[in-house]
Amino acid sequence: MQQTAQTHAEAYLKLCRISKSFAHNGLLLPVLDRLDLEVRAGELVALIGPSGCGKTTLLHIISGITPYDAGTILLNGRDLIDPHHHVAYMQQKDLLLPWRTALGNTLLGPEIAGEDLKRAEDEALQLFQEFGLAGFEHLYPAQLSSGMRQRVALIRTILCHREILLLDEPFSALDALTRSQLHQWLLHAWQRFRHTIIFVTHDVEEALVLADRVYVLTERPTNVKAIVDVPLPRPRQSTLPEFVQLKATLLRWLHVERDGFL
Amino acid sequence: MRTGMRASARSWVLPGLFFLGLLLVWELAVRTGTVADYLLPAPSMIGSALVSHRWLFVQNAWETLKAVALGLAVALSAGLATGMVLFYSPLLERMIYPLLIISRNIPYYAIAPLLVVWFGFGLWPKVIVTALIAFFPIAVNTHDGLKSVDPDFVRLLRALGANRVQIFVKVRLPGALPLVLSGVKLGVVFAVVGALFGELVGGQRWTPEGIVGGLGYLMREAANRGALELAFGGLIWLSALSLVLFGGVVVLERYLLRWHVQERT
């Protein structure tokens, strides 16, 4: 089945001195201030930072939803001019169309792109199997649990066939058990498809379970405060001393920010 | 699902018995002479009129059905188009939508006599009243349905690279469908009443077999001539017609909104 699943050329993403301000009540509110970010090909990077810091704005900029004021975004060393073709975006809301079955929802990307639907369906069915959703293909979203819905949304995101996945707190509405299962599904998919992933979270532990590197962001106007490497083998146990130590480091960075701000 | 159907079948036993009891009392009241049969024909008299004059009823019901079907076809196409135009044009929306809401409250049945003056007797005045009345709920609900679609769905489709047509077909239309269909259900009910009014004020047509004016015309003429069992027969046919049309839309709705039905359970 490996051959039906499409693997991507690995993407190396680099953001240089990205700035963005929003007009708010006649004032210019700076959200991002000359932010640098680098994600190596096939790397899983987590972004954590205080809430309301411009994490979502940053993802919107990368995916082309929001224009930015200054700076450059490079993909494999070249200007990223058509983000639609390279970037898939998934958020906390699963956004499954209620009138489509689970399978129908996952085929949305290939349908819009005008791809071969038979092939896309085979690929989708394979992913349903791998994600423990076999037998649920023809149910409607309302009949699925929230964890299942989020998995369907993840399959839909994968089937968009983009090299870069931007995940905006995708699992934050789920209970702890479901969330940790979804972490395993995500890691499984990532290892299989070699996506380059940027994962936004406010949960330090989630960042450490998933990421190769964690970017700690500052309050608005947002910049990078620290970059923490997570050189631990997967699957990671949150009880291991190294894990606990990294968690303390990340929390310290976050708290320095908060205390400095107060 | 099956137990649900059985339960709903059981819930009809009591009203059914009550209705049969009413018919029985009615029948006895007429038979014993408590109520004069030229004022209120007994159910058995209505029943035999339905059988003996069946072709009269069929012919007139067909005439009414034509008016309703044509009127609905016009209302449906004009209503869907208007709803869509108002949704896509903010200027027209601001200009027309408030008027549309207000004009829903105009009793369009009252326009029927005028239409007879303008268009004469026959099928078309009835079609126009029917279309006019059924148009409003369909147009308003189409517009509201398109508005009700979650903008996040639209953003998702855009991020996937969808064009306007794809967004309309894959998100807006299916998202609007529940409200559109409830507008159509209202439209169907209104349409039958509309056709009836058209027929009550005129609307007969000469055919080789005699005058055919639809069920409303039949009821009016029967009542004028004291043939009340025929008027009641017309009423029964009209109710049946209305129920069948409404039921048809409900079946269509159940099919088109399978996801919605399952969401409710």
Side-chain angles (χ1 to χ4, degrees):
Chain A
M1 254 356 250
Q2 286 290 344
Q3 58 269 39
T4 58
Q6 210 168 311
T7 31
H8 308 287
E10 298 192 345
Y12 156 62
L13 186 73
K14 188 171 179 182
L15 278 68
C16 310
R17 301 174 73 76
I18 297 290
S19 295
K20 173 71 185 173
S21 302
F22 285 109
H24 184 69
N25 293 337
L27 291 169
L28 218 50
L29 184 73
V31 177
L32 302 177
D33 179 30
R34 285 161 291 164
L35 182 132
D36 288 320
L37 181 85
E38 202 175 337
V39 190
R40 296 173 202 129
E43 192 181 30
L44 203 168
V45 160
L47 307 182
I48 59 172
S51 56
C53 80
K55 290 173 293 197
T56 297
T57 306
L58 184 59
L59 292 195
H60 281 177
I61 285 175
I62 299 171
S63 63
I65 297 173
T66 307
Y68 48 101
D69 303 336
T72 42
I73 301 181
L74 300 174
L75 178 70
N76 298 324
R78 264 184 263 162
D79 272 329
L80 177 63
I81 41 173
D82 49 350
H84 289 348
H85 295 118
H86 301 284
V87 176
Y89 182 49
M90 174 178 169
Q91 46 179 305
Q92 183 185 329
K93 239 169 122 181
D94 57 61
L95 288 181
L96 298 181
L97 301 176
W99 48 85
R100 283 182 172 236
T101 60
L103 181 64
N105 267 289
T106 58
L107 294 177
L108 207 53
E111 251 179 68
I112 287 167
E115 290 169 27
D116 178 0
L117 280 185
K118 185 72 202 105
R119 211 183 112 126
E121 193 178 318
D122 288 344
E123 197 181 340
L125 290 174
Q126 172 71 15
L127 284 170
F128 271 82
Q129 197 103 46
E130 282 179 36
F131 278 56
L133 288 169
F136 295 97
E137 296 89 349
H138 301 292
L139 293 187
Y140 289 98
Q143 298 168 293
L144 302 174
S145 71
S146 52
M148 288 170 145
R149 292 168 62 111
Q150 213 48 290
R151 263 181 281 165
V152 174
L154 188 57
I155 295 177
R156 178 184 65 201
T157 311
I158 291 171
L159 282 181
C160 290
H161 298 133
R162 312 286 154 88
E163 312 96 286
I164 301 168
L165 303 189
L166 307 179
L167 308 178
D168 192 357
E169 305 195 15
F171 309 141
S172 59
L174 305 174
D175 62 273
L177 190 66
T178 314
R179 186 159 61 218
S180 92
Q181 282 174 337
L182 272 152
H183 290 155
Q184 299 319 310
W185 298 118
L186 176 66
L187 288 174
H188 168 79
W190 172 61
Q191 270 148 16
R192 181 137 124 62
F193 296 105
R194 308 308 310 167
H195 290 108
T196 300
I197 299 180
I198 302 181
F199 192 104
V200 163
T201 177
H202 55 252
D203 181 344
V204 172
E205 208 158 292
E206 183 169 58
L208 288 175
V209 165
L210 295 174
D212 294 315
R213 285 186 304 142
V214 181
Y215 274 72
V216 183
L217 304 178
T218 65
E219 286 276 357
R220 267 198 318 257
T222 302
N223 209 318
V224 178
K225 158 167 297 177
I227 303 170
V228 177
D229 278 301
V230 190
L232 304 177
R234 298 185 178 86
R236 292 168 179 164
Q237 297 292 323
S238 59
T239 45
L240 288 177
E242 299 93 320
F243 192 101
V244 174
Q245 205 181 346
L246 278 167
K247 190 174 165 184
T249 311
L250 282 179
L251 284 172
R252 205 163 45 239
W253 277 115
L254 279 168
H255 286 180
V256 166
E257 169 61 42
R258 204 181 59 194
D259 298 341
F261 187 71
L262 288 171
Chain B
M1 199 65 188
R2 186 168 295 172
T3 54
M5 268 157 78
R6 208 177 295 152
S8 78
R10 216 178 300 134
S11 72
W12 281 105
V13 171
L14 218 51
L17 284 176
F18 180 67
F19 183 68
L20 282 178
L22 272 184
L23 285 183
L24 197 68
V25 170
W26 179 356
E27 183 77 34
L28 286 175
V30 180
R31 289 269 171 118
T32 56
T34 315
V35 182
D37 63 0
Y38 60 86
L39 289 178
L40 185 68
S44 57
M45 292 161 72
I46 299 168
S48 68
L50 280 173
V51 176
S52 56
H53 295 285
R54 56 186 174 278
W55 287 114
L56 183 69
F57 286 117
V58 168
Q59 245 182 346
N60 282 288
W62 175 239
E63 186 72 11
T64 303
L65 185 63
K66 272 195 292 189
V68 171
L70 284 170
L72 267 179
V74 173
L76 211 55
S77 27
L80 290 174
T82 306
M84 275 160 58
V85 166
L86 292 191
F87 175 76
Y88 278 107
S89 160
L91 177 71
L92 288 177
E93 183 187 31
R94 266 181 293 142
M95 204 158 80
I96 295 173
Y97 187 70
L99 298 179
L100 208 60
I101 294 290
I102 294 170
S103 53
R104 268 203 300 199
N105 299 310
I106 297 175
Y108 279 96
Y109 313 109
I111 214 173
L114 287 175
L115 288 170
V116 172
V117 174
W118 292 333
F119 299 98
F121 298 107
L123 189 59
W124 290 104
K126 294 192 286 186
V127 173
I128 293 170
V129 189
T130 306
L132 206 55
I133 293 167
F135 164 78
F136 288 95
I138 297 173
V140 170
N141 276 32
T142 302
H143 168 271
D144 293 358
L146 289 170
K147 276 255 144 138
S148 75
V149 173
D150 187 343
D152 276 342
F153 287 151
V154 178
R155 247 171 259 137
L156 169 78
L157 272 264
R158 272 205 203 109
L160 292 174
N163 57 36
R164 281 171 78 100
V165 176
Q166 285 172 322
I167 289 174
F168 181 77
V169 172
K170 291 181 199 298
V171 171
R172 293 217 196 271
L173 201 60
L177 210 52
L179 271 174
V180 171
L181 283 171
S182 56
V184 172
K185 276 197 284 188
L186 271 179
V188 166
V189 175
F190 288 4
V192 175
V193 183
L196 177 70
F197 264 81
E199 289 167 355
L200 284 176
V201 295
Q204 74 273 39
R205 168 168 83 85
W206 293 94
T207 67
E209 295 84 36
I211 299 170
V212 178
L215 292 169
Y217 176 76
L218 175 72
M219 285 167 71
R220 185 186 78 188
E221 292 301 302
N224 284 346
R225 288 161 205 197
L228 288 196
E229 69 279 6
L230 284 182
F232 269 100
L235 187 63
I236 289 168
W237 267 89
L238 200 66
S239 316
L241 195 67
S242 187
L243 275 175
V244 167
L245 285 172
F246 189 78
V249 183
V250 169
V251 168
L252 185 73
E253 186 184 37
R254 287 255 168 93
Y255 171 72
L256 289 175
L257 303 184
R258 321 187 265 300
W259 55 274
H260 211 249
V261 173
Q262 270 152 335
E263 199 159 38
R264 268 181 256 137
T265 53

